[in-house]
Amino acid sequence: MKFRNPIVKGFYPDPSVCKANDKYYLVCSSFHYYPGVPLFESDDLVNWRQIGHCLTRQSQVYLENIESSGGVFACNIRYDNGRFYMTTTNNSTQQNFYVWTDDIYGEWSEPINVDQGGIDPSFYFEGNSTYFMSNGIDENGRNSIFQCEIDIETGEKLTPSRVIWHGTGGRYLESPHLYKINDLYYLMAAEGGTEYGHMIIYARGDSPYGPFEAYLNNPVLTNRNLGGYEIQGVGHGELIQDHHGNWWIFHLGFRQIGRWIMHHHLGREVFLMPVTFHQDKWFTVGSDGTTQDEVEIMHIPNTTKQIEQTQYTFHNTKWDIDWCYLRYPDKANYIAQESELKLRSSLITLDMANSPTFIGLRQRDFHVEISCEIRVNDGEAGITLYMDENHHYDFALRKSGNTIEAIKRLNIGDIKSIHKQSIINSNIATLKITSNHETYSFQVISDGKVIDLGFAQTRYLSSEVAGGFTGVVIGLYAQDGTCSEFNDFNDFICTYLDE
C-alpha cells in the first residue's frame, strides 16, 4: 500500500497514540483553543476520524486570558485495564495533570494533578505500577527526563522523582515515552527544539529506571539535513505496534511553504513512518532515518485506501467536534445550526488574548478556496485567517450607520492596517478567499459584481514570523458592534484543491 504524509493535516501537533479494542486512538496538543485535546480514532493507522475532545468543560482546564500558544501542551494517551488515560501540561499554570474515561466516546473525568514539574508528561503501565515521566532540569542544570511512580487513582507520588536519562546532549530534551519490547525497555525522546533542528532519539535498558544505553546512530529520525525539502521539523515521536505485529512511529513535522522558503503556516502536523527492529534489538525508521511525503509499504494491505476529506461545510461538519473556539466562548453569542451560523458582535476583538466571537476550522493544506455568504447587521462580520492575536488577516463586511464596507485588514505584529476597502450597496455579500503556497487572494461578490481586494503573503502568518506553536485557523467572527444583533453566515464552503 502507498500512503502520503502527513496523515493528519493542519495544526494537530504532538501526536500520541494507543491501541484498544481493535482500534487506534490519537490525541494532539490544543494550546489556547477550546475544547481541548482533539481525539481521533482509526481502524488502519492511515485514516483518522475525529470523535471528540478530552477537555470539554471549563472545570478541566484553565484558559482564561491565556495568550496564544499558552495552555495545553503535548499530551499522552494510554489504555490500561479497560480505562483510557490522557495526561498533559497546562503550561500557563505550570501544572501536569491527567483525566480518564471508561467510554472513549463519552466525557472524561475531572483533572487529577501530579506533583512533578516539566512538560510533555507520559505514562507507562506495568503490572500494578504506574510510571509518570516528564522533562526537566537537574540540580546541575542538565536537560533530563524525570520519572516517579504514582497512585493512578489519586495522582499521589509513591516514589521521589528521579533522573533516568540525560539524552544525547541536544538542546530541549522533551517528549519522553517508555515502552517494553522484547524484554527491553526503550526510552524515546526528542531534541533540537520543535523547529528545523528537531530530531527523535532513543535508548534502551533492562528496567524502567535504566540505566539506559543510547542508540549508537542517534538521531534515529530527523529531516534536519534535508535542505530544500518540504517536510521539516520532524520530531516528538510515539511508537505503536499494529494488529499484525508491525511497528510504526507517529511524529510531528511541518511543511514549509516552498522548496527554499523556510516558513510554515499550517502548523505542526501528524506523520507516520514504518519501524524495523533488527536482530540486535535496535530499531531504525524508514529506509534512511528521514520522513518522506510518500511511503510504500507491504505492512498495510492494498485493500486499504487512504481517504481524504477535501470539502468542509456547515452540513458535513459537527460544531462540537470539527470546530474550535479561542479560549472559553460566550455561548450566548453563538447560534449554530445545521445550515446556518449566527454570531453576535462582541466588544472583545481578535487582537485580544480573550475569547472573541470566533469559531474556526484548522487550515489543512496550502491550496484552499473558502467562501461564505455573510449578512452584517451589527459591527463587523467576516472570515479571519488567524495565527495569533498579533498575526491574522481579516476579511469582512463592516456596518457603520447606513454605510456597508468590505475590508481586508492585515495584522502583522505591531502593524495593523486596513489594506483595502470597498463600499458596497448591500449588507449581504459573499466573501471568497483563495490560497496557494505563497499568497491568499480576496474577492467580494455583491449584487453579481466581483470586487478584487488583492492578496497577502502567507509567510507573515508563519511560525517563523509570529513565533509560537500553532497554525492558521480559518475563523468566522463578529466584533466591534453594539452586542445587540446577530450577523448571519450561510453557505460556508472550504474546498481543498489539487496541487
Side-chain angles (χ1 to χ4, degrees):
M1 187 245 180
K2 185 183 292 185
F3 67 87
R4 291 190 62 83
N5 274 314
I7 57 165
V8 181
K9 293 183 174 182
F11 154 51
Y12 292 103
D14 306 319
S16 176
V17 294
C18 74
K19 181 172 57 176
N21 304 322
D22 295 324
K23 293 187 183 295
Y24 307 96
Y25 297 94
L26 180 149
V27 291
C28 297
S29 304
S30 53
F31 297 94
H32 57 295
Y33 286 93
Y34 184 81
V37 185
L39 172 65
F40 296 82
E41 182 182 69
S42 175
D43 300 308
D44 54 24
L45 293 180
V46 172
N47 295 293
W48 293 88
R49 54 191 173 273
Q50 190 170 349
I51 60 172
H53 297 81
C54 298
L55 305 177
T56 57
R57 304 184 302 278
Q58 292 189 29
S59 59
Q60 292 174 303
V61 58
Y62 182 84
L63 295 176
E64 194 73 37
N65 298 319
I66 285 176
E67 293 186 352
S68 291
S69 291
V72 179
F73 271 34
C75 41
N76 172 248
I77 187 170
R78 290 291 181 261
Y79 181 72
D80 184 65
N81 288 327
R83 178 167 287 180
F84 292 90
Y85 298 88
M86 189 283 298
T87 182
T88 186
T89 304
N90 187 331
N91 195 58
S92 297
T93 62
Q94 297 292 297
Q95 182 63 62
N96 286 317
F97 67 94
Y98 62 94
V99 293
W100 57 266
T101 186
D102 294 326
D103 178 8
I104 195 65
Y105 306 107
E107 289 288 305
W108 292 65
S109 72
E110 288 299 297
I112 300 172
N113 294 331
V114 178
D115 186 22
Q116 178 168 290
I119 62 171
D120 299 353
S122 182
F123 282 128
Y124 172 67
F125 293 94
E126 183 174 297
N128 295 321
S129 298
T130 301
Y131 298 86
F132 183 88
M133 68 206 74
S134 58
N135 76 345
I137 304 295
D138 70 9
E139 66 275 9
N140 297 315
R142 297 178 67 187
N143 290 332
S144 306
I145 302 300
F146 286 84
Q147 183 170 267
C148 66
E149 294 173 51
I150 67 169
D151 181 337
I152 193 59
E153 296 296 325
T154 65
E156 178 186 1
K157 289 174 65 173
L158 303 178
T159 66
S161 298
R162 55 183 281 194
V163 174
I164 60 172
W165 197 37
H166 288 108
T168 67
R171 66 175 184 166
Y172 304 137
L173 177 63
E174 58 189 355
S175 69
H177 296 306
L178 186 65
Y179 315 88
K180 189 176 184 181
I181 306 169
N182 300 324
D183 296 322
L184 290 171
Y185 294 86
Y186 291 80
L187 178 57
M188 193 162 66
E191 290 178 337
T194 184
E195 302 143 6
Y196 287 85
H198 214 20
M199 53 186 168
I200 296 174
I201 59 172
Y202 78 97
R204 72 184 191 192
D206 294 321
S207 86
Y209 286 103
F212 289 99
E213 176 191 2
Y215 174 52
L216 184 63
N217 296 313
N218 274 321
V220 68
L221 182 68
T222 184
N223 282 21
R224 63 183 180 176
N225 294 321
L226 296 182
Y229 186 69
E230 182 181 75
I231 299 172
Q232 299 287 342
V234 165
H236 202 109
E238 171 86 289
L239 287 173
I240 191 167
Q241 188 178 33
D242 69 20
H243 302 311
H244 308 290
N246 305 303
W247 285 94
W248 302 84
I249 190 166
F250 283 81
H251 64 86
L252 66 77
F254 57 77
R255 290 177 286 164
Q256 62 184 34
I257 291 171
R259 182 173 175 81
W260 303 110
I261 304 175
M262 293 182 68
H263 295 75
H264 72 282
H265 64 288
L266 300 182
R268 296 171 299 157
E269 306 173 291
V270 180
F271 295 78
L272 175 66
M273 289 296 292
V275 169
T276 301
F277 275 87
H278 302 280
Q279 288 187 344
D280 59 5
K281 297 185 180 181
W282 295 103
F283 67 82
T284 56
V285 181
S287 59
D288 62 355
T290 65
T291 293
Q292 309 299 317
D293 59 353
E294 191 170 85
V295 180
E296 189 164 10
I297 189 75
M298 298 296 294
H299 297 342
I300 302 175
N302 287 329
T303 53
T304 301
K305 303 297 181 184
Q306 188 174 21
I307 301 170
E308 185 175 344
Q309 183 174 344
T310 58
Q311 188 171 87
Y312 296 79
T313 69
F314 289 160
H315 295 278
N316 70 3
T317 55
K318 295 182 179 180
W319 296 111
D320 58 345
I321 292 180
D322 301 286
W323 297 76
C324 60
Y325 304 93
L326 286 165
R327 307 165 191 91
Y328 306 131
D330 182 351
K331 288 297 186 70
N333 291 331
Y334 301 78
I335 301 176
Q337 301 170 338
E338 182 179 350
S339 60
E340 182 184 34
L341 175 69
K342 295 177 179 289
L343 299 179
R344 181 158 51 193
S345 292
S346 171
L347 298 179
I348 300 170
T349 71
L350 297 171
D351 297 336
M352 299 179 182
N354 205 309
S355 188
T357 303
F358 165 105
I359 186 167
L361 293 172
R362 291 155 171 86
Q363 183 178 343
R364 295 173 181 263
D365 240 327
F366 296 108
H367 289 241
V368 63
E369 187 175 279
I370 309 155
S371 64
C372 188
E373 181 189 84
I374 297 174
R375 179 197 294 267
V376 61
N377 298 311
D378 182 36
E380 177 179 314
I383 306 170
T384 182
L385 303 166
Y386 188 90
M387 184 62 165
D388 62 30
E389 50 265 23
N390 294 312
H391 300 83
H392 50 95
Y393 296 158
D394 309 329
F395 189 35
L397 302 182
R398 187 170 65 176
K399 183 177 182 181
S400 178
N402 295 321
T403 302
I404 306 294
E405 286 183 306
I407 65 167
K408 180 186 70 177
R409 181 190 298 112
L410 307 183
N411 302 268
I412 306 170
D414 295 330
I415 303 172
K416 303 179 186 297
S417 171
I418 295 180
H419 186 236
K420 284 197 175 182
Q421 60 197 99
S422 177
I423 294 176
I424 60 177
N425 297 321
S426 172
N427 70 332
I428 304 175
T430 295
L431 303 185
K432 182 177 179 181
I433 301 173
T434 304
S435 83
N436 54 35
H437 283 68
E438 297 184 32
T439 60
Y440 294 103
S441 300
F442 304 83
Q443 289 183 329
V444 182
I445 303 170
S446 178
D447 293 330
K449 181 181 178 182
V450 178
I451 305 168
D452 190 346
L453 290 191
F455 66 91
Q457 295 185 53
T458 60
R459 73 171 67 194
Y460 296 117
L461 298 184
S462 70
S463 295
E464 288 74 19
V465 173
F469 307 112
T470 61
V472 169
V473 175
I474 301 163
L476 304 177
Y477 77 98
Q479 65 182 27
D480 286 338
T482 63
C483 304
S484 61
E485 293 189 63
F486 282 86
N487 303 290
D488 303 320
F489 296 74
N490 293 282
D491 298 327
F492 173 83
I493 304 175
C494 176
T495 304
Y496 292 96
L497 310 172
D498 291 336
E499 298 188 15

